[in-house]
Amino acid sequence: MNVLLIIDGMNLVRRMHAAQPNENNIDGLQEQVLRSCKKLIRFHQPSHVTIVWDGKAISWRKRLFEDYKKGRKPMPEALNEGLASLKRYLESQDIHSIDALSEADDVIATLATKLTQAKGKAIIVSTDKGFNQLIHPNIQLWDHFNQTFLTLEAREEKLGVDRSQFLDYLALAGDSGNKIPGVPGIGPKSACELLKTFRTLSNIYRSLDKIGTKQAQKLATGKTLAKLSYKLSQLQTNLPLNINLKQFRLKQQN
């Protein structure tokens, strides 16, 4: 079975860089990132590996909703200037990059999904909770910083909803980290309770007459935002990537 280790590049590197006392100093970052990549390869023993980077184009989500990811701290200038050199260094060590046009998330989701369709397995290295919605048994999420798998069971327990309800939950409760609004006045607890009772977002909106007046009014008023939040949260899994898996086959186990 082909096993592809997919590393969310900026998720990994920005957290490593943020731990440095001086954000203008990236000395040693290349070696630090390489050590982490080699550790990931030794532990997971993949047949293939790639690191996916965010691009600079405005994402379709930002075009759809101007406030998406509003207020995010910009990338430190030193890190921005050093990325090209970092990518070349990793390439020289048999860790090949994919550059997304905008957000890496959809590229990663597409890679993982296409691999499972080809009877392979994907391991996504990221702490981005947007990947929660990828619930295929051959797609695993790995938190490098806590050295643990983010299992479906753990994700269900943390959110308080069934795996099939992850997107509906985000449509209702939103995602403050990405500035996805959700329904104003419907927080995580209310979202869980509604989904436990009515199971799906569609059922909730078909059952407003069975919900308390105040909450029903919030839901009715926020219906457009719920639909928008669902769309913003949903990963694209069928992008045309124009790549071949053999490009990322490991020549040797590091």
Side-chain angles (χ1 to χ4, degrees):
M1 178 190 289
N2 288 322
V3 179
L4 175 61
L5 182 71
I6 310 170
I7 302 170
D8 184 349
M10 293 314 304
N11 183 272
L12 179 74
V13 172
R14 286 202 67 167
R15 283 192 60 172
M16 287 183 171
H17 181 259
Q20 303 302 314
N22 180 1
E23 72 171 23
N24 295 315
N25 182 4
I26 61 169
D27 293 344
L29 184 63
Q30 290 186 354
E31 288 296 332
Q32 186 181 3
V33 174
L34 179 62
R35 283 196 299 272
S36 291
C37 290
K38 286 187 172 181
K39 181 177 181 179
L40 286 163
I41 291 168
R42 282 196 303 271
F43 182 83
H44 294 289
Q45 293 291 301
S47 56
H48 301 71
V49 62
T50 187
I51 184 163
V52 184
W53 303 93
D54 291 314
K56 297 185 182 299
I58 298 174
S59 77
W60 65 268
R61 293 180 178 89
K62 187 74 172 176
R63 294 183 189 279
L64 185 63
F65 183 58
E66 190 177 352
D67 284 348
Y68 177 69
K69 290 190 175 180
K70 186 177 181 180
R72 281 276 185 98
K73 184 179 178 182
M75 190 188 310
E77 190 59 35
L79 180 58
N80 186 45
E81 292 177 356
L83 274 183
S85 177
L86 172 61
K87 292 176 189 179
R88 288 194 298 270
Y89 180 65
L90 293 174
E91 290 277 350
S92 73
Q93 301 295 317
D94 199 24
I95 299 169
H96 304 291
S97 291
I98 297 174
D99 290 309
L101 288 175
S102 55
E103 294 180 284
D105 302 18
D106 291 326
V107 173
I108 292 171
T110 295
L111 277 171
T113 300
K114 286 184 179 296
L115 198 69
T116 61
Q117 291 169 349
K119 309 302 182 185
K121 175 181 173 183
I123 303 167
I124 298 172
V125 180
S126 182
T127 57
D128 189 329
K129 59 187 176 184
F131 293 121
N132 281 342
Q133 65 194 264
L134 300 176
I135 60 174
H136 192 284
N138 276 358
I139 298 177
Q140 294 180 310
L141 306 183
W142 176 256
D143 181 343
H144 172 70
F145 298 98
N146 288 313
Q147 293 291 292
T148 185
F149 282 107
L150 303 171
T151 66
L152 282 168
E153 291 76 16
R155 286 178 259 165
E156 287 177 325
E157 184 176 353
K158 184 174 182 178
L159 292 179
V161 296
D162 183 80
R163 63 195 65 181
S164 64
Q165 299 171 315
F166 287 161
L167 270 173
D168 288 353
Y169 170 86
L170 289 172
L172 291 166
D175 177 0
S176 59
N178 287 322
K179 294 296 187 290
I180 294 174
V183 176
I186 303 295
K189 184 177 179 180
S190 295
C192 288
E193 290 173 350
L194 286 164
L195 288 170
K196 281 178 182 175
T197 302
F198 299 103
R199 302 305 301 167
T200 69
L201 187 67
S202 297
N203 283 345
I204 290 169
Y205 276 101
R206 281 196 291 264
S207 308
L208 292 182
D209 59 330
K210 298 181 177 66
I211 298 172
T213 305
K214 287 185 178 180
Q215 194 172 57
Q217 183 59 52
K218 290 176 184 176
L219 288 163
T221 303
K223 186 174 182 179
T224 299
L225 283 177
K227 289 181 177 179
L228 173 67
S229 298
Y230 188 99
K231 190 168 185 178
L232 290 170
S233 300
Q234 190 171 32
L235 290 169
Q236 294 187 351
T237 58
N238 198 29
L239 295 181
L241 298 180
N242 299 316
I243 58 174
N244 193 305
L245 186 61
K246 66 182 180 183
Q247 296 172 240
F248 309 109
R249 180 173 287 279
L250 284 166
K251 293 183 178 67
Q252 59 183 14
Q253 297 297 310
N254 293 295

